[in-house]
Amino acid sequence: MSEFTLRLRRYDPQSGEPPYWESHTIELEPHRSVLEGILQARGRFDGSIGIRCSCRSAICGSCGVRINGQPGLACHTHLDEALERSSDGMISVEPMGNMPVIRDLIVDMDAVHWKKIQAVTPWLLAREPVPEREYLVDREAMVDVTQSMACIQCGACVSDCLAMEVDPDFIGPAALAKSYRFVGDPRDSEHTERLTALSEDPHGLYTCTHCFKCVDACPKGVNPMGQIMRLRRIAGSDHHIEDRNNGYRHEHAFVDNVRRNGLLHEADLLPDSYGGKFNPRAVPELIASMPVALRGLLRGKITLRKALTHPHKASKELRAIFERIESKPERYELNLYVSGTDEDNEPNEPAPAEAIA
Amino acid sequence: MKVAYWPGCVSRGFTPELHGAMAAVAPLLDIELIELDRASCCGAGVIAEHNQELADTLNARTFAMARQTDGELMMNICSTCQGAQTECQERLDASAVYRTQINSTLSSEGLHYEPGVTNKNFLWLLVEEIGLDTLRQKVTRPLTNLRVGPFYGCYIVRPAARLGIDHDHPRHTYLEQVIDTLGGTVIDYAGSHKCCGFPIITMNKTASLKQAGRHLGDAADANADCVVTPCPLCHLNLDLQQPLAQAVVGRELKMPVLHLPQLVGLALGLDPAALGFRRHIVKPTAVIDWAESVVAQAVSA
């Protein structure tokens, strides 16, 4: 048995009092979970501590919290691990972010997480004709969606999403990963409709900022940001959805820019992301950017020569790489979650002869 | 030490002061830079979003070029390059079959990718290769009383496992360690490890600028004199776009944003004028009272 000090964030919105921290010292073996620690504190010291939990086996997704500032499952985090990550010898536990607190460590998942999940039509819209028996699907196609199917809806990724922090309407990582589960499923009939809705939503597919918070937050390796990038790839390159948020245009302008220049030429990227210098869509954006551009020119950050020409040009070898890869009939994607690494896949050492005997 | 040096695109584009500052600081740290001038953009995550194999091939090409130099390792000066290149490297190193496929594209240029290239941002190199003790000995102008907020950039801190952040390599704390070693005061504020918003500036401008404005505001509320970043893309949103970010968050920010080599250069005694501060939108020289914040004159070590 070891002693651990838990510092819990307490809050009852109905009390009118602000949140406060409260510490309890509990006794448990170091490999037991933070959840068990919280439950012991509740049992021994204060029955009013609010925590939601059920399976205690990292499968129901109920006990999502922030431990030492990092989102995760309380039942899936060992006390000794949590202590090691603490900066002051105490294990701090607080409710997840981006969702309103109902009480103490319990957040309102309905108000944020489930509302967003429901918005992406989280069920299969079956392709017609529905076969008399089962659909026959390539094994690879289904393996591909297993990563998004591993989601247990705990909300850890939503908790720490940095885009949602500034844009609460952002559809968010969990809902987008759920959406890929159907966009990647060959039995679903509404791929284009799903992708169009997400691409055209000003708080949809293209509001993700590539911050990787959801990748680190997920206790199940779902890699929501990876699923978001796949949705973008399919929306842009397979369904050619030229959305009003400039997502498609920005991605294509970026790739074309590097194809031409080898290095990124920022002065072209901005107008091209809006459809080109003379595109009516670009004009108001470019006018709005004028004060910034002028200041940049004045400071010598941007020079006229740099803005109008580009000292770098892609070599013919580099252009050949673009041509060779982009002309392949199918894009190749290596998903290590599915394939594993060579090291993971190495056959086990044969057992020594005497062991067999 | 000799390094294969990948400066990235933005340090030769809209943040030329970064490229210049790195060139000025390198000799003071005994770093010899072998610039990879034929390598291409890392893709900043956008090319990978478009076509993963294309991004992996472009970066495999850069790594192969680095291997052809006699540098001890490869060094970059951009958090985004670090993250995007490490992501490609993770896939390249995971599968021999995949490497064969990528190398068949590179072979026409006589290039070949092999696992084992070490690629470190200048920040990592400072702490892990040069060492903080050596760095401390080289400080001739301690940044006494300069209150500095670290700003990492997402790509250099997440995902932690891919970037080799662990108990022995607490790379998510290196900026604080460097600021402290240079004699400055580390400012703890909410935004240090958050997103600057730059990747969505053309897609959701309000959200993007709100991110930049909020983090700078948090740094200001913690009484930072400036923030420092190893990422030129963050610099674009935090400095170049700061006037627009101010308008979105509705408060004056006036927060100078230094590139990491500039901060190091200051402490190693370089003249602020030689570090390109005049090219910043929020000129550090206009906001920071150097006489107060920094021991004004460099002293010999």
PDB file of all heavy atoms in Angstrom, chain A residues 39-63:
ATOM      1  N   LEU A  39     -12.745   7.035  -5.900  1.00  0.00           N
ATOM      2  CA  LEU A  39     -13.853   6.340  -5.230  1.00  0.00           C
ATOM      3  C   LEU A  39     -13.533   6.110  -3.748  1.00  0.00           C
ATOM      4  O   LEU A  39     -14.417   6.187  -2.897  1.00  0.00           O
ATOM      5  CB  LEU A  39     -14.158   5.014  -5.945  1.00  0.00           C
ATOM      6  CG  LEU A  39     -14.702   5.166  -7.376  1.00  0.00           C
ATOM      7  CD1 LEU A  39     -14.928   3.791  -8.015  1.00  0.00           C
ATOM      8  CD2 LEU A  39     -15.997   5.986  -7.417  1.00  0.00           C
ATOM      9  N   GLN A  40     -12.249   5.860  -3.461  1.00  0.00           N
ATOM     10  CA  GLN A  40     -11.881   5.691  -2.047  1.00  0.00           C
ATOM     11  C   GLN A  40     -12.061   7.016  -1.288  1.00  0.00           C
ATOM     12  O   GLN A  40     -12.576   7.046  -0.164  1.00  0.00           O
ATOM     13  CB  GLN A  40     -10.431   5.216  -1.911  1.00  0.00           C
ATOM     14  CG  GLN A  40     -10.106   4.845  -0.484  1.00  0.00           C
ATOM     15  CD  GLN A  40      -8.640   4.467  -0.300  1.00  0.00           C
ATOM     16  OE1 GLN A  40      -7.854   5.274   0.182  1.00  0.00           O
ATOM     17  NE2 GLN A  40      -8.275   3.249  -0.674  1.00  0.00           N
ATOM     18  N   ALA A  41     -11.642   8.108  -1.936  1.00  0.00           N
ATOM     19  CA  ALA A  41     -11.804   9.425  -1.297  1.00  0.00           C
ATOM     20  C   ALA A  41     -13.286   9.690  -1.040  1.00  0.00           C
ATOM     21  O   ALA A  41     -13.670  10.202   0.023  1.00  0.00           O
ATOM     22  CB  ALA A  41     -11.206  10.510  -2.192  1.00  0.00           C
ATOM     23  N   ARG A  42     -14.109   9.316  -2.006  1.00  0.00           N
ATOM     24  CA  ARG A  42     -15.546   9.533  -1.838  1.00  0.00           C
ATOM     25  C   ARG A  42     -16.082   8.666  -0.690  1.00  0.00           C
ATOM     26  O   ARG A  42     -16.872   9.106   0.132  1.00  0.00           O
ATOM     27  CB  ARG A  42     -16.283   9.199  -3.139  1.00  0.00           C
ATOM     28  CG  ARG A  42     -17.751   9.577  -3.087  1.00  0.00           C
ATOM     29  CD  ARG A  42     -18.408   9.459  -4.431  1.00  0.00           C
ATOM     30  NE  ARG A  42     -18.615   8.061  -4.793  1.00  0.00           N
ATOM     31  CZ  ARG A  42     -19.237   7.671  -5.908  1.00  0.00           C
ATOM     32  NH1 ARG A  42     -19.681   8.581  -6.776  1.00  0.00           N
ATOM     33  NH2 ARG A  42     -19.389   6.405  -6.184  1.00  0.00           N
ATOM     34  N   GLY A  43     -15.630   7.399  -0.639  1.00  0.00           N
ATOM     35  CA  GLY A  43     -16.116   6.482   0.394  1.00  0.00           C
ATOM     36  C   GLY A  43     -15.630   6.868   1.789  1.00  0.00           C
ATOM     37  O   GLY A  43     -16.388   6.792   2.757  1.00  0.00           O
ATOM     38  N   ARG A  44     -14.372   7.305   1.876  1.00  0.00           N
ATOM     39  CA  ARG A  44     -13.800   7.537   3.209  1.00  0.00           C
ATOM     40  C   ARG A  44     -14.003   8.950   3.743  1.00  0.00           C
ATOM     41  O   ARG A  44     -14.140   9.139   4.944  1.00  0.00           O
ATOM     42  CB  ARG A  44     -12.291   7.245   3.182  1.00  0.00           C
ATOM     43  CG  ARG A  44     -11.966   5.750   3.244  1.00  0.00           C
ATOM     44  CD  ARG A  44     -10.482   5.494   3.073  1.00  0.00           C
ATOM     45  NE  ARG A  44      -9.656   6.161   4.077  1.00  0.00           N
ATOM     46  CZ  ARG A  44      -8.320   6.220   4.003  1.00  0.00           C
ATOM     47  NH1 ARG A  44      -7.677   5.659   2.981  1.00  0.00           N
ATOM     48  NH2 ARG A  44      -7.631   6.833   4.935  1.00  0.00           N
ATOM     49  N   PHE A  45     -13.983   9.937   2.797  1.00  0.00           N
ATOM     50  CA  PHE A  45     -13.933  11.320   3.303  1.00  0.00           C
ATOM     51  C   PHE A  45     -15.139  12.182   2.944  1.00  0.00           C
ATOM     52  O   PHE A  45     -15.534  13.045   3.700  1.00  0.00           O
ATOM     53  CB  PHE A  45     -12.663  12.033   2.795  1.00  0.00           C
ATOM     54  CG  PHE A  45     -11.405  11.267   3.054  1.00  0.00           C
ATOM     55  CD1 PHE A  45     -10.644  10.764   2.012  1.00  0.00           C
ATOM     56  CD2 PHE A  45     -10.996  11.032   4.363  1.00  0.00           C
ATOM     57  CE1 PHE A  45      -9.487  10.057   2.247  1.00  0.00           C
ATOM     58  CE2 PHE A  45      -9.827  10.310   4.608  1.00  0.00           C
ATOM     59  CZ  PHE A  45      -9.068   9.819   3.545  1.00  0.00           C
ATOM     60  N   ASP A  46     -15.657  12.015   1.752  1.00  0.00           N
ATOM     61  CA  ASP A  46     -16.691  12.965   1.329  1.00  0.00           C
ATOM     62  C   ASP A  46     -17.588  12.314   0.274  1.00  0.00           C
ATOM     63  O   ASP A  46     -17.224  12.226  -0.904  1.00  0.00           O
ATOM     64  CB  ASP A  46     -16.010  14.221   0.757  1.00  0.00           C
ATOM     65  CG  ASP A  46     -17.015  15.318   0.436  1.00  0.00           C
ATOM     66  OD1 ASP A  46     -18.237  15.031   0.396  1.00  0.00           O
ATOM     67  OD2 ASP A  46     -16.579  16.465   0.230  1.00  0.00           O
ATOM     68  N   GLY A  47     -18.736  11.893   0.696  1.00  0.00           N
ATOM     69  CA  GLY A  47     -19.674  11.201  -0.204  1.00  0.00           C
ATOM     70  C   GLY A  47     -20.250  12.095  -1.277  1.00  0.00           C
ATOM     71  O   GLY A  47     -20.927  11.612  -2.192  1.00  0.00           O
ATOM     72  N   SER A  48     -19.969  13.384  -1.217  1.00  0.00           N
ATOM     73  CA  SER A  48     -20.578  14.280  -2.217  1.00  0.00           C
ATOM     74  C   SER A  48     -19.698  14.488  -3.450  1.00  0.00           C
ATOM     75  O   SER A  48     -20.067  15.218  -4.358  1.00  0.00           O
ATOM     76  CB  SER A  48     -20.888  15.638  -1.574  1.00  0.00           C
ATOM     77  OG  SER A  48     -19.685  16.365  -1.381  1.00  0.00           O
ATOM     78  N   ILE A  49     -18.502  13.857  -3.497  1.00  0.00           N
ATOM     79  CA  ILE A  49     -17.622  14.032  -4.672  1.00  0.00           C
ATOM     80  C   ILE A  49     -18.318  13.437  -5.904  1.00  0.00           C
ATOM     81  O   ILE A  49     -18.709  12.274  -5.900  1.00  0.00           O
ATOM     82  CB  ILE A  49     -16.264  13.317  -4.460  1.00  0.00           C
ATOM     83  CG1 ILE A  49     -15.487  13.980  -3.321  1.00  0.00           C
ATOM     84  CG2 ILE A  49     -15.437  13.314  -5.752  1.00  0.00           C
ATOM     85  CD1 ILE A  49     -14.246  13.197  -2.885  1.00  0.00           C
ATOM     86  N   GLY A  50     -18.480  14.266  -6.942  1.00  0.00           N
ATOM     87  CA  GLY A  50     -19.177  13.809  -8.143  1.00  0.00           C
ATOM     88  C   GLY A  50     -18.222  13.240  -9.176  1.00  0.00           C
ATOM     89  O   GLY A  50     -17.294  13.924  -9.617  1.00  0.00           O
ATOM     90  N   ILE A  51     -18.383  11.973  -9.547  1.00  0.00           N
ATOM     91  CA  ILE A  51     -17.594  11.344 -10.621  1.00  0.00           C
ATOM     92  C   ILE A  51     -18.525  10.369 -11.332  1.00  0.00           C
ATOM     93  O   ILE A  51     -19.318   9.692 -10.691  1.00  0.00           O
ATOM     94  CB  ILE A  51     -16.328  10.616 -10.066  1.00  0.00           C
ATOM     95  CG1 ILE A  51     -15.600   9.757 -11.135  1.00  0.00           C
ATOM     96  CG2 ILE A  51     -16.670   9.706  -8.886  1.00  0.00           C
ATOM     97  CD1 ILE A  51     -14.650  10.512 -11.987  1.00  0.00           C
ATOM     98  N   ARG A  52     -18.423  10.317 -12.668  1.00  0.00           N
ATOM     99  CA  ARG A  52     -19.263   9.378 -13.411  1.00  0.00           C
ATOM    100  C   ARG A  52     -18.390   8.178 -13.783  1.00  0.00           C
ATOM    101  O   ARG A  52     -17.263   8.357 -14.264  1.00  0.00           O
ATOM    102  CB  ARG A  52     -19.779  10.063 -14.669  1.00  0.00           C
ATOM    103  CG  ARG A  52     -20.764   9.230 -15.475  1.00  0.00           C
ATOM    104  CD  ARG A  52     -20.972   9.855 -16.851  1.00  0.00           C
ATOM    105  NE  ARG A  52     -21.876  11.003 -16.822  1.00  0.00           N
ATOM    106  CZ  ARG A  52     -21.637  12.157 -17.446  1.00  0.00           C
ATOM    107  NH1 ARG A  52     -20.514  12.334 -18.103  1.00  0.00           N
ATOM    108  NH2 ARG A  52     -22.506  13.141 -17.398  1.00  0.00           N
ATOM    109  N   CYS A  53     -18.860   6.962 -13.535  1.00  0.00           N
ATOM    110  CA  CYS A  53     -18.087   5.790 -13.942  1.00  0.00           C
ATOM    111  C   CYS A  53     -19.012   4.586 -14.047  1.00  0.00           C
ATOM    112  O   CYS A  53     -20.112   4.597 -13.507  1.00  0.00           O
ATOM    113  CB  CYS A  53     -16.959   5.501 -12.954  1.00  0.00           C
ATOM    114  SG  CYS A  53     -17.527   5.053 -11.314  1.00  0.00           S
ATOM    115  N   SER A  54     -18.553   3.574 -14.772  1.00  0.00           N
ATOM    116  CA  SER A  54     -19.362   2.369 -14.864  1.00  0.00           C
ATOM    117  C   SER A  54     -18.481   1.128 -14.946  1.00  0.00           C
ATOM    118  O   SER A  54     -18.289   0.431 -13.969  1.00  0.00           O
ATOM    119  CB  SER A  54     -20.306   2.470 -16.066  1.00  0.00           C
ATOM    120  OG  SER A  54     -21.059   1.308 -16.178  1.00  0.00           O
ATOM    121  N   CYS A  55     -17.863   0.870 -16.126  1.00  0.00           N
ATOM    122  CA  CYS A  55     -17.244  -0.450 -16.334  1.00  0.00           C
ATOM    123  C   CYS A  55     -15.918  -0.629 -15.593  1.00  0.00           C
ATOM    124  O   CYS A  55     -15.546  -1.731 -15.248  1.00  0.00           O
ATOM    125  CB  CYS A  55     -17.032  -0.695 -17.822  1.00  0.00           C
ATOM    126  SG  CYS A  55     -15.625   0.205 -18.503  1.00  0.00           S
ATOM    127  N   ARG A  56     -15.217   0.443 -15.347  1.00  0.00           N
ATOM    128  CA  ARG A  56     -13.886   0.427 -14.702  1.00  0.00           C
ATOM    129  C   ARG A  56     -12.872  -0.394 -15.486  1.00  0.00           C
ATOM    130  O   ARG A  56     -11.870  -0.860 -14.954  1.00  0.00           O
ATOM    131  CB  ARG A  56     -13.968  -0.098 -13.264  1.00  0.00           C
ATOM    132  CG  ARG A  56     -15.024   0.631 -12.462  1.00  0.00           C
ATOM    133  CD  ARG A  56     -15.000   0.210 -11.026  1.00  0.00           C
ATOM    134  NE  ARG A  56     -16.187   0.725 -10.356  1.00  0.00           N
ATOM    135  CZ  ARG A  56     -16.388   0.688  -9.059  1.00  0.00           C
ATOM    136  NH1 ARG A  56     -15.467   0.163  -8.277  1.00  0.00           N
ATOM    137  NH2 ARG A  56     -17.480   1.166  -8.530  1.00  0.00           N
ATOM    138  N   SER A  57     -13.127  -0.604 -16.774  1.00  0.00           N
ATOM    139  CA  SER A  57     -12.230  -1.415 -17.606  1.00  0.00           C
ATOM    140  C   SER A  57     -11.901  -0.731 -18.929  1.00  0.00           C
ATOM    141  O   SER A  57     -11.611  -1.390 -19.919  1.00  0.00           O
ATOM    142  CB  SER A  57     -12.879  -2.765 -17.918  1.00  0.00           C
ATOM    143  OG  SER A  57     -13.418  -3.327 -16.768  1.00  0.00           O
ATOM    144  N   ALA A  58     -12.005   0.577 -18.978  1.00  0.00           N
ATOM    145  CA  ALA A  58     -11.640   1.355 -20.167  1.00  0.00           C
ATOM    146  C   ALA A  58     -12.431   0.963 -21.404  1.00  0.00           C
ATOM    147  O   ALA A  58     -11.902   0.941 -22.509  1.00  0.00           O
ATOM    148  CB  ALA A  58     -10.141   1.242 -20.443  1.00  0.00           C
ATOM    149  N   ILE A  59     -13.706   0.652 -21.218  1.00  0.00           N
ATOM    150  CA  ILE A  59     -14.498   0.313 -22.403  1.00  0.00           C
ATOM    151  C   ILE A  59     -15.806   1.093 -22.475  1.00  0.00           C
ATOM    152  O   ILE A  59     -16.350   1.295 -23.552  1.00  0.00           O
ATOM    153  CB  ILE A  59     -14.714  -1.231 -22.497  1.00  0.00           C
ATOM    154  CG1 ILE A  59     -15.147  -1.649 -23.900  1.00  0.00           C
ATOM    155  CG2 ILE A  59     -15.728  -1.724 -21.462  1.00  0.00           C
ATOM    156  CD1 ILE A  59     -14.130  -1.364 -24.958  1.00  0.00           C
ATOM    157  N   CYS A  60     -16.309   1.592 -21.326  1.00  0.00           N
ATOM    158  CA  CYS A  60     -17.606   2.291 -21.395  1.00  0.00           C
ATOM    159  C   CYS A  60     -17.438   3.778 -21.698  1.00  0.00           C
ATOM    160  O   CYS A  60     -18.370   4.420 -22.160  1.00  0.00           O
ATOM    161  CB  CYS A  60     -18.399   2.089 -20.107  1.00  0.00           C
ATOM    162  SG  CYS A  60     -17.809   3.076 -18.712  1.00  0.00           S
ATOM    163  N   GLY A  61     -16.253   4.326 -21.438  1.00  0.00           N
ATOM    164  CA  GLY A  61     -16.002   5.733 -21.760  1.00  0.00           C
ATOM    165  C   GLY A  61     -16.653   6.730 -20.811  1.00  0.00           C
ATOM    166  O   GLY A  61     -16.800   7.898 -21.146  1.00  0.00           O
ATOM    167  N   SER A  62     -17.036   6.299 -19.608  1.00  0.00           N
ATOM    168  CA  SER A  62     -17.759   7.208 -18.699  1.00  0.00           C
ATOM    169  C   SER A  62     -16.853   8.129 -17.893  1.00  0.00           C
ATOM    170  O   SER A  62     -17.264   9.215 -17.512  1.00  0.00           O
ATOM    171  CB  SER A  62     -18.584   6.404 -17.687  1.00  0.00           C
ATOM    172  OG  SER A  62     -19.493   5.580 -18.349  1.00  0.00           O
ATOM    173  N   CYS A  63     -15.632   7.659 -17.560  1.00  0.00           N
ATOM    174  CA  CYS A  63     -14.861   8.381 -16.549  1.00  0.00           C
ATOM    175  C   CYS A  63     -13.784   9.286 -17.147  1.00  0.00           C
ATOM    176  O   CYS A  63     -12.718   9.444 -16.569  1.00  0.00           O
ATOM    177  CB  CYS A  63     -14.265   7.405 -15.538  1.00  0.00           C
ATOM    178  SG  CYS A  63     -13.042   6.285 -16.250  1.00  0.00           S
TER     179      CYS A  63
END
